[in-house]
Amino acid sequence: MAERTVVIALGGNAILQHRETGTAEDQFENVRKASRRIAEIAAEGYTVAVTHGNGPQVGDILLRNELAKDTLPPMPLDVCGAESQGMIGYMLQQSMQEALREAGLDRPVATVLTQTLVDGDDPAFESPEKPIGPFYTPMQAKRLEAEKGWRMVRIPGEGYRRVVPSPRPIALVEERAIVRLVSAGAIVIAAGGGGVPVVADGGGALRGVEAVVDKDYTAAILARLVGVEDLLILTDVERVALNYGRPDRQEISEMTVREAREHLAAGQFPPGTMGPKIEAAIEFLETGGKRAIIASLEEASTALAGRAGTRLRP
């Protein structure tokens, strides 16, 4: 393994910006910008493993399924997740190769379509709460609940939306391939969207499940697997903040695991936004990581150098 290796978790804004329609051109443009930031880090001597979100892309795939259901058989959620991994991996791979060439670097880039092992008895399967896919009318929601057994929730002012379980990741099925590629100096794109969630039966056979895995939790597993000291979580804010969205907002440059746990317990980091990032950082640090950094994409290299973002330490 290279002396300096970092796992970078790209937030959804690195692929699709708010208010964009999601055309291939839009997404490629965003991915090229993100790739140039990653190439800057590679140029500083780092070996890089990358993971990414996929929420909007999976939503679009599910909507296409719904619109075409009378013509083509809809695909299950695990297959849709795999489709999104392939699409985003292709965009990142091509853009990274271009950015590396511009930086004068000769490094291979590879996407590993990744399955993430989850526990079939995870309590999340009893309490689905992760919204996915398009919005439905009350009549459509009632029909889908009856026909497909989906759990639907009402989103005020928007309509009804399907919710699915979000179990915690246990391991990456393709871990040996990922480790070998990273050890060989490749820039590896893996576990996109948290990976395709699968469960194992008594004989070890795998089966995809209708669920989604939070990519930040999977990023912590990827970082531990690759054996890195640094986990860099890139999002759309420059620093973690207390009292976010309030006049007494307070940005944090550095905090310990203990302080992070105290803020979590006080409700400072909500489950749907900063919470999973903080929890993933804590998990990484408590299993041997030296430093987790949460920063904006624009300041990725500066944050890794310790001059931007929020640094969490044991």
Side-chain angles (χ1 to χ4, degrees):
M1 196 73 66
E3 185 177 342
R4 297 203 300 176
T5 307
V6 61
V7 165
I8 298 175
L10 291 174
N13 66 309
I15 303 161
L16 190 63
Q17 299 282 339
H18 185 54
R19 295 192 183 90
E20 288 180 340
T21 58
T23 64
E25 291 79 11
D26 284 343
Q27 295 185 69
F28 257 119
E29 181 59 30
N30 293 325
V31 167
R32 288 188 187 105
K33 290 176 184 176
S35 296
R36 285 193 284 271
R37 301 297 183 190
I38 297 170
E40 289 175 1
I41 291 171
E44 291 167 6
Y46 282 89
T47 293
V48 180
V50 180
T51 188
H52 58 81
N54 69 341
Q57 291 76 21
V58 167
D60 287 351
I61 292 168
L62 290 168
L63 181 56
R64 290 189 195 104
N65 273 345
E66 182 66 20
L67 294 173
K69 67 182 184 297
D70 295 328
T71 305
L72 296 168
M75 292 293 109
L77 183 54
D78 57 314
V79 175
C80 294
E83 286 184 42
S84 72
Q85 268 198 65
M87 180 185 76
I88 298 170
Y90 158 65
M91 291 181 172
L92 272 169
Q93 225 173 255
Q94 189 181 95
S95 300
M96 275 304 311
Q97 288 161 342
E98 179 183 325
L100 291 168
R101 268 197 311 274
E102 290 174 354
L105 298 175
D106 181 19
R107 299 275 290 279
V109 184
T111 299
V112 178
L113 196 143
T114 311
Q115 302 171 90
T116 299
L117 186 67
V118 300
D119 184 351
D121 294 324
D122 190 300
F125 285 105
E126 299 298 321
S127 304
E129 56 183 32
K130 181 72 173 179
I132 60 163
F135 290 95
Y136 297 95
T137 65
M139 188 175 296
Q140 288 172 323
K142 190 173 182 180
R143 175 178 58 80
L144 289 167
E145 283 181 321
E147 290 180 0
K148 299 189 177 185
W150 288 0
R151 171 101 177 260
M152 309 294 287
V153 297
R154 181 175 173 272
I155 311 293
E158 299 283 357
Y160 285 79
R161 205 171 179 202
R162 181 187 178 190
V163 289
V164 298
S166 184
R168 286 293 186 113
I170 298 171
L172 304 183
V173 176
E174 290 73 23
E175 62 178 41
R176 286 189 298 171
I178 294 167
V179 169
R180 288 183 183 183
L181 285 165
V182 174
S183 297
I187 292 181
V188 179
I189 301 152
V196 178
V198 296
V199 295
D201 65 16
L206 300 176
R207 172 179 58 85
V209 290
E210 295 270 308
V212 295
V213 179
D214 190 288
K215 69 129 174 61
D216 293 312
Y217 298 139
T218 306
I221 289 181
L222 178 63
R224 186 167 70 247
L225 177 69
V226 174
V228 304
E229 293 189 349
D230 292 326
L231 170 62
L232 180 58
I233 299 174
L234 300 178
T235 182
D236 56 358
V237 295
E238 293 183 2
R239 285 188 177 89
V240 176
L242 302 179
N243 307 321
Y244 186 77
R246 288 164 39 181
D248 56 344
R249 179 175 184 268
Q250 179 186 345
E251 291 190 344
I252 303 173
S253 296
E254 187 173 57
M255 60 180 159
T256 63
V257 164
R258 180 179 177 179
E259 291 167 338
R261 285 196 180 281
E262 289 172 354
H263 294 319
L264 269 172
Q268 286 286 350
F269 309 129
T273 53
M274 190 57 71
K277 295 173 176 54
I278 297 293
E279 290 180 357
I282 290 171
E283 183 179 319
F284 169 66
L285 293 169
E286 290 187 332
T287 54
K290 295 291 189 283
R291 187 175 60 153
I293 306 163
I294 300 173
S296 68
L297 174 63
E298 290 73 21
E299 294 189 315
S301 179
T302 309
L304 194 57
R307 300 192 303 274
T310 299
R311 295 174 298 285
L312 284 88
R313 53 186 174 81

